[in-house]
């Protein structure tokens, strides 16, 4: 119907024309034109059986790799040095990681780059703090906490005391002029921050191919501004250099600075230089930037400038933005004392809360296993709660909801997976052991078996949609529905107690469902356990 709109023709007629040239006899019993211009396909049951059977023999898992792989850069997480990673960074990290995994599985060449904020005016204040007020013991035990304290201290003092403000400016100028003492302190601040970021990334199971921070592009900034000025793209504006967008209605009222009046480059200049470097280095077909929605204007401006600067370059630039995490009161999520919630503490609490549930439900497991399950469930729950809502809407952070064993949650899906694994374990332990032998014939007869198989066939389609619309929530909902289809199948169809041929066919269906569930959760960055 949308094609008919483009072609300005009658949708029913167009549907008939498609039908006349369509040959899907191998897959479908019949295809009919229905209603206003729908095409109804009736997939043949043998095809469903064949697909499930092929999957059970390891020939595929209901998706295909792209015949046209592209190089795609995913720029995500990108926290700032000397500041703790907070809940806002978790969304970028979790979304970006999921998109990278999906695109990689679909066969694309994915390059992940953590664009760390390791340069900027905050270092002037940090240097004043470091030189005058550093508490070495505090730095040893919680480096980012101590650097944050120093920053806040000097920032507050600079608001009332112009001498402090001046000192910070001078330290910054010295740093920018490569003063060796300031450079050494700055490097140490980066190394200490990186160590703490790495702890979080390893807990989240996230890794990057590159972590080229903003400072990496410093040597390119002068030339970038110069080129923009020389080509007439940037103009003088009260001592600064700005790009005006007279011809872009949306941006008309929002010129972008590329050099401040003190001569310093800024976030936009750095992003322009970064993009140029990425084009030279990886020649990507697409670059995905994952940040919160407040940066929308920045990305619109910077994409528009780049297109004017390099009209010859053909690259798809996408800003994948997301909303805020809210507390129960509907205001930005904060701790009881009103501070921003630190990511490390949030993950600790998730694991503690999950452990309380595991201790209750799995008292028979040893201590080590219970802790491991709590880790997988706690971290999985936080990630899933982040990925499930439409990314552009704000969501309310709620521990009880995300850790519930029923409803659309990670623990529910992880539990569903363990149930399938337990069925397969029982099958292997029984006196009629089961293996995926090549002569198992998958025969799907009951309605619930067929619905489950059809849903499995959609896996690849959903992955493609996640990758092209940058929406992991499609995959969350797909997996939730998969678990539902499986539960209905298992309620209706005896597996272990049915006679041999049927038992084997149904075990194969269980096994591939388990594999899709595990693969799907894995793409969301969520681990599974064999028991819980
Ligand atoms: N460091 C920035 C922040 O915390 C995010 C950077 C995103 N990436 C980029 N290329 N601008 O807000």
């Amino acid at each position: 119907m949308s094609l008919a709109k483009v072609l300005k023709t009658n949708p029913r007629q167009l549907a008939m024309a498609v039908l006349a040239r369509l040959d899907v006899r191998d897959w479908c019993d019949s295809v009919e034109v229905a209603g206003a211009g729908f095409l109804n396909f009736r997939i043949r049951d043998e095809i469903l059986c064949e697909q499930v059977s092929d999957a059970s023999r390891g020939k595929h898992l209901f998706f295909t790799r792209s015949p046209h792989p592209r190089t795609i850069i995913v720029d995500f997480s990108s926290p700032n040095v000397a500041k703790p990673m907070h809940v806002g960074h978790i969304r970028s990290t979790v979304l970006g990681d999921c998109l990278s995994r999906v695109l990689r599985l679909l066969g694309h060449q994915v390059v992940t780059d953590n664009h760390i904020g390791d340069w900027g005016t905050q270092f002037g204040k940090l240097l004043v703090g470091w030189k005058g007020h550093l508490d070495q013991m505090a730095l040893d035990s919680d480096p980012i906490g101590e650097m944050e304290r120093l920053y806040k201290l000097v920032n507050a003092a600079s608001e009332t005391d112009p001498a402090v403000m001046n000192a910070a400016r001078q330290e910054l100028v010295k740093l920018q002029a490569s003063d060796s003492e300031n450079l050494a302190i700055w490097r140490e601040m980066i190394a200490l921050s990186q160590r703490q970021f790495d702890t979080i990334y390893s807990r989240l199971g996230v890794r990057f191919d590159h972590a080229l921070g903003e400072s990496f592009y410093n040597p390119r900034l002068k030339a970038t501004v110069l080129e923009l000025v020389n080509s007439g793209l940037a103009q003088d504006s009260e001592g600064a250099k700005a790009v005006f967008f007279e011809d872009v209605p949306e941006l008309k009222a929002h010129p972008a600075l590329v050099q401040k009046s003190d001569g310093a480059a800024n976030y936009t200049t750095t992003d322009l230089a970064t993009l140029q470097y990425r084009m030279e280095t990886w020649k990507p077909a697409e670059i995905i930037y994952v940040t919160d929605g407040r940066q929308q204007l920045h990305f619109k401006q910077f994409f528009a400038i780049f297109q004017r600067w390099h009209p010859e370059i053909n690259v798809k630039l996408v800003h994948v933005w997301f909303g805020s995490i809210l507390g129960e009161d509907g205001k930005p999520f904060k701790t009881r004392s009103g501070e921003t919630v630190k990511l490390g503490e949030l993950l600790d609490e998730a694991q503690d809360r999950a452990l309380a549930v595991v201790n209750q439900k799995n008292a028979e497991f040893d201590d080590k296993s219970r802790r491991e399950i709590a880790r997988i469930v706690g971290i999985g729950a936080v990630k899933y709660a982040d990925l499930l809502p439409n990314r552009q809407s704000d969501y309310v952070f709620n521990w009880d909801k995300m850790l519930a064993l029923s409803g659309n949650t990670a623990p529910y899906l992880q539990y569903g997976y363990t149930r399938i694994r337990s069925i397969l374990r029982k099958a292997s332990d029984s006196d009629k052991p089961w293996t995926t032998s090549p002569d198992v014939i998958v025969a799907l007869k009951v309605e619930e078996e067929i619905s489950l198989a059809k849903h499995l066939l959609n896996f690849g389609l959903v992955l493609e949609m996640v990758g092209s619309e940058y929406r992991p929530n499609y995959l969350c909902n797909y997996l939730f529905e998969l678990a539902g289809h499986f539960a209905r199948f298992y309620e209706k169809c005896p597996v272990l107690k049915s006679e041999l041929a049927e038992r084997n066919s149904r075990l194969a269906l269980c096994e591939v469902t388990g594999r899709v569930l595990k693969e799907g959760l894995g793409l969301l960055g969520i681990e599974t356990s064999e028991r819980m």
Side-chain angles (χ1 to χ4, degrees):
M1 284 183 275
S2 49
L3 183 60
K5 217 178 234 161
V6 176
L7 297 176
K8 298 200 173 64
T9 133
N10 175 311
R12 259 191 90 87
Q13 256 163 23
L14 181 65
M16 307 267 214
V18 170
L19 187 58
R21 295 185 209 181
L22 192 67
D23 183 3
V24 288
R25 270 170 301 177
D26 288 348
W27 279 69
C28 296
D29 281 332
S30 68
V31 185
E32 299 129 29
V33 175
F38 294 97
L39 284 165
N40 286 343
F41 294 76
R42 280 169 213 285
I43 191 156
R44 285 164 45 190
D45 287 349
E46 311 95 271
I47 293 297
L48 283 179
C49 297
E50 186 186 293
Q51 290 295 314
V52 172
S53 163
D54 284 352
S56 123
R57 283 168 210 174
K59 282 201 194 160
H60 64 70
L61 197 60
F62 309 104
F63 64 87
T64 46
R65 290 173 161 263
S66 168
H68 310 290
R70 294 177 301 138
T71 299
I72 302 174
I73 296 181
V74 189
D75 172 323
F76 69 103
S77 194
S78 312
N80 301 315
V81 164
K83 286 193 197 161
M85 277 173 95
H86 55 74
V87 290
H89 288 114
I90 196 184
R91 275 199 110 171
S92 174
T93 309
V94 170
L95 275 163
D97 181 52
C98 170
L99 295 176
S100 312
R101 289 174 192 255
V102 169
L103 292 166
R104 212 165 250 159
L105 188 76
L106 291 175
H108 298 292
Q109 252 129 17
V110 174
V111 178
T112 53
D113 188 10
N114 193 355
H115 191 70
I116 302 207
D118 61 359
W119 195 252
T121 48
Q122 73 272 28
F123 285 101
K125 289 173 185 161
L126 281 163
L127 281 161
V128 172
W130 186 283
K131 289 182 182 180
H133 310 277
L134 185 65
D135 174 346
Q136 189 63 45
M137 285 222 312
L139 188 75
D140 292 341
S141 67
D142 175 16
I144 292 185
E146 172 61 3
M147 288 189 272
E148 192 191 22
R149 183 189 72 84
L150 292 176
Y151 178 80
K152 284 187 179 159
L153 186 82
V154 178
N155 193 41
S158 71
E159 269 161 26
T160 51
D161 186 349
V164 177
M165 182 62 106
N166 206 25
R169 239 181 244 132
Q170 269 164 18
E171 293 297 356
L172 184 66
V173 170
K174 275 167 74 185
L175 175 67
Q176 285 165 341
S178 303
D179 170 81
S180 60
E181 187 193 4
N182 281 10
L183 268 184
I185 298 175
W186 169 71
R187 285 202 187 101
E188 182 159 1
M189 290 195 251
I190 294 178
L192 290 170
S193 304
Q194 189 64 51
R195 217 177 299 154
Q196 251 174 317
F197 297 155
D198 286 343
T199 313
I200 301 260
Y201 293 137
S202 89
R203 288 182 77 177
L204 291 175
V206 173
R207 44 166 299 277
F208 297 89
D209 300 319
H210 304 277
L212 301 175
E214 293 181 22
S215 67
F216 179 78
Y217 304 96
N218 281 349
R220 294 178 162 249
L221 300 179
K222 276 219 161 60
T224 302
V225 175
L226 206 64
E227 278 187 41
L228 293 173
V229 169
N230 286 347
S231 58
L233 282 174
Q235 281 142 33
D236 274 318
S237 172
E238 294 162 31
K241 307 277 182 223
V243 177
F244 293 87
F245 307 94
E246 292 306 333
D247 49 338
V248 189
E250 209 185 357
L251 296 178
K252 211 170 166 172
H254 305 284
L257 285 193
V258 290
Q259 184 175 293
K260 293 186 270 186
S261 50
D262 64 3
N266 64 6
Y267 191 49
T268 305
T269 333
T270 310
D271 257 328
L272 287 164
T274 305
L275 178 44
Q276 192 183 41
Y277 173 85
R278 288 175 175 166
M279 292 312 306
E280 288 165 14
T281 311
W282 296 293
K283 299 185 181 58
E286 180 171 346
I287 307 181
I288 297 169
Y289 297 83
V290 190
T291 83
D292 77 58
R294 287 170 302 183
Q295 298 198 28
Q296 283 178 82
L297 179 62
H298 163 73
F299 282 97
K300 281 181 189 150
Q301 292 174 326
F302 135 63
F303 291 169
I305 300 174
F306 189 79
Q307 265 138 23
R308 292 182 188 182
W309 183 25
H310 284 294
E312 77 289 359
I313 290 182
N314 187 12
V315 58
K316 182 176 179 191
L317 301 173
V318 200
H319 181 209
V320 171
W321 60 271
F322 51 84
S324 319
I325 305 182
L326 305 177
E328 298 286 355
D329 55 1
K331 300 203 184 103
F333 188 45
K334 294 265 160 73
T335 60
R336 275 210 196 105
S337 54
E339 309 220 355
T340 49
V341 180
K342 295 177 182 149
L343 198 40
E345 288 165 15
L346 183 93
L347 298 180
D348 290 342
E349 183 164 356
Q351 287 180 220
D352 288 347
R353 284 175 181 258
L355 187 61
V357 181
V358 177
N359 284 341
Q360 247 178 36
K361 304 226 172 203
N362 297 131
E364 72 281 14
F365 293 171
D366 65 32
D367 190 58
K368 194 165 161 250
S369 319
R370 274 182 279 141
R371 280 182 190 282
E372 177 62 359
I373 296 172
R375 182 187 68 77
I376 291 174
V377 169
I379 303 228
V382 170
K383 286 190 177 187
Y384 195 82
D386 226 44
L387 293 167
L388 175 64
N390 172 340
R391 64 176 156 80
Q392 283 159 341
S393 46
D394 298 344
Y395 80 91
V396 174
F397 194 91
N398 180 319
W399 283 118
D400 294 333
K401 230 165 126 183
M402 73 177 76
L403 284 164
L405 274 167
S406 58
N408 196 350
T409 65
Y412 168 73
L413 297 175
Q414 289 167 319
Y415 181 63
Y417 176 75
T418 61
R419 278 189 46 189
I420 296 178
R421 299 303 296 169
S422 133
I423 298 166
L424 297 173
R425 269 196 309 275
K426 279 187 196 138
S428 312
D429 292 346
S430 70
D431 47 356
K432 313 181 265 192
W434 169 82
T435 48
T436 35
S437 100
D439 33 65
V440 167
I441 293 168
V442 175
L444 310 167
K445 297 180 199 113
V446 182
E447 194 189 316
E448 283 77 5
E449 288 179 307
I450 293 174
S451 310
L452 173 58
K454 280 186 183 164
H455 195 71
L456 287 169
L457 248 65
N458 278 335
F459 187 45
L461 209 62
V462 169
L463 296 183
E464 277 164 35
M465 276 164 56
V466 172
S468 62
E469 295 180 37
Y470 319 104
R471 295 198 182 276
N473 55 318
Y474 294 162
L475 178 55
C476 297
N477 286 318
Y478 170 85
L479 295 175
F480 178 61
E481 284 164 21
L482 179 65
H485 280 291
F486 183 80
R488 284 187 289 279
F489 151 76
Y490 195 59
E491 201 180 282
K492 186 74 182 282
C493 307
V495 176
L496 295 173
K497 294 205 172 93
S498 52
E499 53 78 26
L500 199 63
E502 197 164 67
R503 181 176 189 269
N504 280 335
S505 165
R506 287 182 178 164
L507 282 169
L509 192 56
C510 290
E511 200 265 342
V512 294
T513 303
R515 266 201 283 139
V516 170
L517 207 48
K518 187 183 171 82
E519 180 81 61
L521 284 169
L523 290 169
L524 298 173
I526 296 175
E527 293 175 62
T528 43
S529 158
E530 291 296 302
R531 293 162 210 266
M532 67 185 249

